[in-house]
Amino acid sequence: MASSPRAYLAFVGGTAWLAFAIHAVAAPGVAWGFFNTGLYNALIVLACLVCLARAVRVRAERAAWLALAAALCSWTAGDLYYALAFTDSAAVPFPSWSDAGYLGFYPFASVSLALLVRSRVGRLSASAWLDGLVAGFGTAAVGAGIVLAPLLRATHGPTAAVVTNLAYPIGDTLLIALVVCVFAASGWRPGSTWLAIAAGLVASTLADTLYLTQVASNSYVEGTLLDALWPAGLLLLAGAAWQPERRRRVRRQSQALLAPGLFGLAAIATGVYDHFAQVNAFAAAATAATLLCLMARAAVAMLENRRLLRQSQHEAVSDALTGLGNRRKLTQDLARVFAGAQTSPGLLALFDLDGFKNYNDRFGHPAGDAILQRLTVKLDSLVATVGGAAYRMGGDEFCVLLPLAPDTETTLAQCRVALSETGDDFAISASCGSVALPAEASAPEQALRLADQRLYASKNSNRISALSQSKDVLVRVLAERQSMLAAHAGHVADLAELTARRLGLPPQQVAETRLAAELHDVGKAAIPDAILNKPGPLDENEWRFMRRHSLIGERIVSAAPALSSVARIIRSSHERVDGRGYPDGLSGDDIPLTARVVAVADAFDAMTSRRPYVEPKTAADALAELRRCAGTQFDPVVVSAFAEVVLDGAVAEALSRCAPEPAPQREERVELPHA
């Protein structure tokens, strides 16, 4: 059904029921046939049709709502049979076929509720289900004591009549107990469907209880407000079929403990009451079941608390990403080593991943987490084979505790291999610092500090070695291609390094500036000799080809992961501060400061060197040209610092002693007319 027809039917049903209730209160004797026969039966038939329509038109939970529609139809059939067979009869047999229809409601309703439970609250923990059982049995115990006890005292006659009378309250109590069980299991947030079901069952139970009590005492009068409760209950059940299903919210632990406590107290109260006034067997059985479920709930709570305690203790000493021991776990294990609990000597080794930051920046943090997990599996498996333990200190730092053995150095080398991985455009390796225990340290803090110092000494040594080796290879390639290019690169590197220091750049950037200056022309290895050695000016096509050398240089240098930051400087070494440079047309501060330094040093050396197509300038003339182009082609701040370097006594003397050498190179900065 669409929302509008549902709203229309709800309005019609509610209005009709309200008219019936008002008639029962205000004018029970007026239009008796229309209200107590026609309108009453129309209301319960409407409830059957509404529920049946839900089952037919909506596939989801169809079996559950078909079962509820069958329950409503069974009730309606019994009521219609009663209306047709006994309306004008002075003596109504009891039980009759109408009671068969009424009682048929309970098994169908039970099946419907069971299917709904399976569909909506089937994936709950054992404690949640026990909470529900405690609430359900507790409700049954109290209901049996309150509802069933008076009926037992008032009911008499043939066995069939007594059994039929008792079947109604027992069925009602069981259904309500099941609904309360669902309420408790769902953390008392059951949703609108279960609320409507509960309201409908409460209305029917109240009507059955009052009716049976009045019949037993010969005080029942047809056509009163009591009769309005049955169609109200059926309409609420039918309305529950069309309520939207909403996800159950997770309950808090305090709410979970409150429910079994309250219903357990109710069951205990029923048991205490039994000491003074004997309750029926049904109430006694429900009370016993409640107490058994309470005991089971207490046992489950103890097991859950113990599991949570173990879990929290494990999490406190474990790394969440890799599952290895964390720094706290390492500290505890080291404390046992130095306390003498571990008598055999051992080795503490600290590892740091080289190249991981670049990998993380390039491929993203999820990929970085994945590679850490892969490396962890290899490290943990390796260390476990020699009786050691592995830890993650945080970030890309790992640690191992190994028993000291003749082949421990081999194991450390294998650990470095386990923490290494290479692929397209990336290479991850590991630096290591180790400490013998307890020979080289007397406390955990001292051992960690010493291992950290040795680690970073090794890391810096490896980094310098990697940078130096990579740079030397590229410079050698450049020298083999054009020997004068290598000489030019050396002059530019000296000037660029001094300028970077004069600008106060950090040591890391000073080193990167020198490396970029040494390698800024490596892309010219791919430029044909016909262009590189052409005696005259280049045409536009030749310049277009020439300007690719900074991009080629970036690609060549970035192949060495240790030089990735230097490659970015080389790419930007021919940009201009006015945005007219290449390859990206960057301007101002968008150009890396280190690249601006290389640009000034490169232009100065090109202007003061002898070239086939132009005479060299003096240092003074070259400085004047740099100052004239400051603000358009070059950074004024860099030009000022560079001039201070060149005018420094020692540097000027060195420049004057350097005889200009032919340098068959082309720099667009000195070929283009200055702005």
Side-chain angles (χ1 to χ4, degrees), residues 80 163 192 255 463 515 547 675:
L80 290 176
V163 170
S192 56
Q255 294 172 316
R463 184 176 183 277
L515 285 169
R547 289 169 188 155

Side-chain angles (χ1 to χ4, degrees), residues 150-378:
L151 289 177
L152 282 172
R153 290 192 294 269
T155 300
H156 52 81
T159 302
V162 173
V163 170
T164 301
N165 270 345
L166 295 180
Y168 287 101
I170 290 175
D172 290 331
T173 301
L174 289 175
L175 289 179
I176 289 180
L178 178 58
V179 171
V180 173
C181 174
V182 172
F183 273 48
S186 61
W188 302 101
R189 293 183 179 86
S192 56
T193 299
W194 287 102
L195 286 172
I197 290 174
L201 292 177
V202 168
S204 298
T205 300
L206 182 60
D208 290 342
T209 302
L210 293 175
Y211 171 77
L212 293 173
T213 303
Q214 292 178 9
V215 167
S217 60
N218 293 320
S219 60
Y220 172 69
V221 177
E222 190 174 357
T224 64
L225 187 60
L226 169 61
D227 292 343
L229 292 176
W230 282 299
L234 298 187
L235 288 171
L236 285 169
L237 291 174
W242 286 99
Q243 296 302 310
E245 180 183 358
R246 291 186 175 88
R247 182 175 294 181
R248 181 182 57 84
R249 296 176 61 186
V250 179
R251 59 185 179 160
R252 295 190 299 271
Q253 186 66 17
S254 59
Q255 294 172 316
L257 296 176
L258 180 62
L262 291 177
F263 286 98
L265 287 174
I268 292 173
T270 304
V272 173
Y273 176 75
D274 180 55
H275 179 73
F276 300 98
Q278 185 175 3
V279 297
N280 53 78
F282 185 80
T287 300
T290 304
L291 296 178
L292 287 174
C293 288
L294 271 176
M295 294 172 62
R297 179 65 178 87
V300 169
M302 291 178 62
L303 293 175
E304 286 182 345
N305 290 338
R306 185 177 299 175
R307 178 180 57 81
L308 290 174
L309 178 60
R310 287 197 302 266
Q311 181 179 346
S312 63
Q313 290 174 339
H314 174 73
E315 290 175 351
V317 295
S318 299
D319 176 63
L321 176 65
T322 63
L324 297 179
N326 58 15
R327 181 180 289 271
R328 176 180 293 181
K329 173 64 172 173
L330 174 63
T331 303
Q332 293 175 356
D333 291 348
L334 284 175
R336 284 196 291 270
V337 170
F338 288 105
Q342 180 178 323
T343 56
S344 59
L347 187 78
L348 170 69
L350 195 60
F351 298 89
D352 188 84
L353 301 185
D354 301 320
F356 176 74
K357 183 180 185 302
N358 290 334
Y359 182 92
N360 221 22
D361 293 341
R362 181 163 189 172
F363 299 104
H365 292 288
D369 291 345
I371 201 169
L372 285 178
Q373 291 170 332
R374 291 199 301 272
L375 297 178
T376 294
V377 171
K378 294 191 293 182

Side-chain angles (χ1 to χ4, degrees), residues 470-481:
S470 301
K471 184 263 295 182
D472 290 345
V473 168
L474 294 174
V475 169
R476 186 61 185 170
V477 169
L478 192 60
E480 292 294 330
R481 180 68 171 82

Side-chain angles (χ1 to χ4, degrees), residues 272-601:
V272 173
Y273 176 75
D274 180 55
H275 179 73
F276 300 98
Q278 185 175 3
V279 297
N280 53 78
F282 185 80
T287 300
T290 304
L291 296 178
L292 287 174
C293 288
L294 271 176
M295 294 172 62
R297 179 65 178 87
V300 169
M302 291 178 62
L303 293 175
E304 286 182 345
N305 290 338
R306 185 177 299 175
R307 178 180 57 81
L308 290 174
L309 178 60
R310 287 197 302 266
Q311 181 179 346
S312 63
Q313 290 174 339
H314 174 73
E315 290 175 351
V317 295
S318 299
D319 176 63
L321 176 65
T322 63
L324 297 179
N326 58 15
R327 181 180 289 271
R328 176 180 293 181
K329 173 64 172 173
L330 174 63
T331 303
Q332 293 175 356
D333 291 348
L334 284 175
R336 284 196 291 270
V337 170
F338 288 105
Q342 180 178 323
T343 56
S344 59
L347 187 78
L348 170 69
L350 195 60
F351 298 89
D352 188 84
L353 301 185
D354 301 320
F356 176 74
K357 183 180 185 302
N358 290 334
Y359 182 92
N360 221 22
D361 293 341
R362 181 163 189 172
F363 299 104
H365 292 288
D369 291 345
I371 201 169
L372 285 178
Q373 291 170 332
R374 291 199 301 272
L375 297 178
T376 294
V377 171
K378 294 191 293 182
L379 178 66
D380 194 35
S381 300
L382 172 64
V383 172
T385 59
V386 296
Y391 311 84
R392 184 185 179 210
M393 307 296 284
D396 57 356
E397 284 194 351
F398 294 85
C399 187
V400 297
L401 270 177
L402 302 172
L404 202 58
D407 59 348
T408 301
E409 288 300 325
T410 301
T411 303
L412 286 181
Q414 292 172 339
C415 289
R416 287 196 294 271
V417 173
L419 290 173
S420 302
E421 187 169 317
T422 58
D424 294 338
D425 301 328
F426 79 91
I428 296 176
S429 58
S431 299
C432 175
S434 60
V435 180
L437 303 178
E440 295 184 306
S442 58
E445 297 79 9
Q446 182 185 5
L448 287 171
R449 183 169 58 253
L450 184 56
D452 191 65
Q453 292 171 355
R454 293 177 177 177
L455 164 66
Y456 281 97
S458 171
K459 189 176 183 69
N460 290 333
S461 174
N462 291 341
R463 184 176 183 277
I464 292 171
S465 175
L467 288 174
S468 178
Q469 291 175 16
S470 301
K471 184 263 295 182
D472 290 345
V473 168
L474 294 174
V475 169
R476 186 61 185 170
V477 169
L478 192 60
E480 292 294 330
R481 180 68 171 82
Q482 282 283 353
S483 60
M484 289 301 100
L485 287 177
H488 164 70
H491 297 158
V492 174
D494 291 337
L495 293 170
E497 179 182 2
L498 292 171
T499 305
R501 293 185 187 279
R502 184 62 61 102
L503 288 169
L505 298 185
Q508 176 69 22
Q509 290 190 1
V510 172
E512 289 177 351
T513 303
R514 180 174 183 87
L515 285 169
E518 288 184 284
L519 299 174
H520 78 284
D521 274 339
V522 72
K524 290 183 179 178
I527 304 298
D529 288 341
I531 295 177
L532 204 60
N533 299 328
K534 184 176 180 180
L538 303 181
D539 60 30
E540 187 58 34
N541 288 333
E542 290 169 335
W543 270 124
R544 188 178 300 112
F545 199 93
M546 187 71 175
R547 289 169 188 155
R548 294 174 53 197
H549 82 273
S550 60
L551 294 175
I552 297 171
E554 180 196 27
R555 289 199 300 269
I556 293 173
V557 174
S558 63
L563 294 173
S564 58
S565 59
V566 175
R568 290 190 288 270
I569 300 172
I570 293 172
R571 179 188 181 96
S572 302
S573 62
H574 288 276
E575 301 286 357
R576 293 169 53 118
V577 295
D578 60 4
R580 294 170 56 196
Y582 63 88
D584 301 312
L586 302 179
S587 62
D589 292 339
D590 291 337
I591 307 170
L593 178 57
T594 48
R596 285 175 264 161
V597 171
V598 173
V600 172

Side-chain angles (χ1 to χ4, degrees), residues 15-225:
T15 303
W17 180 86
L18 185 61
F20 182 88
I22 292 174
H23 170 267
V25 174
V30 178
W32 172 273
F34 174 78
F35 283 98
N36 290 280
T37 301
L39 184 57
Y40 179 91
N41 289 318
L43 287 172
I44 60 177
V45 169
L46 176 64
C48 293
L49 294 176
V50 168
C51 188
L52 189 61
R54 164 62 174 82
V56 171
R57 298 197 59 177
V58 181
R59 180 183 299 273
E61 301 176 335
R62 176 171 290 168
W65 298 116
L66 276 175
L68 185 61
L72 298 182
C73 289
S74 179
W75 180 281
T76 301
D79 204 270
L80 290 176
Y81 175 81
Y82 184 91
L84 293 173
F86 305 122
T87 297
D88 297 325
S89 176
V92 179
F94 186 79
S96 67
W97 286 110
S98 61
D99 290 297
Y102 294 142
L103 293 176
F105 169 85
Y106 296 104
F108 285 120
S110 299
V111 171
S112 173
L113 296 184
L115 291 174
L116 281 178
V117 168
R118 180 182 178 184
S119 171
R120 298 196 177 188
V121 292
R123 291 188 294 271
L124 295 176
S125 63
S127 59
W129 280 114
L130 284 171
D131 288 349
L133 290 176
V134 169
F137 283 127
T139 301
V142 174
I146 295 176
V147 177
L148 196 57
L151 289 177
L152 282 172
R153 290 192 294 269
T155 300
H156 52 81
T159 302
V162 173
V163 170
T164 301
N165 270 345
L166 295 180
Y168 287 101
I170 290 175
D172 290 331
T173 301
L174 289 175
L175 289 179
I176 289 180
L178 178 58
V179 171
V180 173
C181 174
V182 172
F183 273 48
S186 61
W188 302 101
R189 293 183 179 86
S192 56
T193 299
W194 287 102
L195 286 172
I197 290 174
L201 292 177
V202 168
S204 298
T205 300
L206 182 60
D208 290 342
T209 302
L210 293 175
Y211 171 77
L212 293 173
T213 303
Q214 292 178 9
V215 167
S217 60
N218 293 320
S219 60
Y220 172 69
V221 177
E222 190 174 357
T224 64
L225 187 60

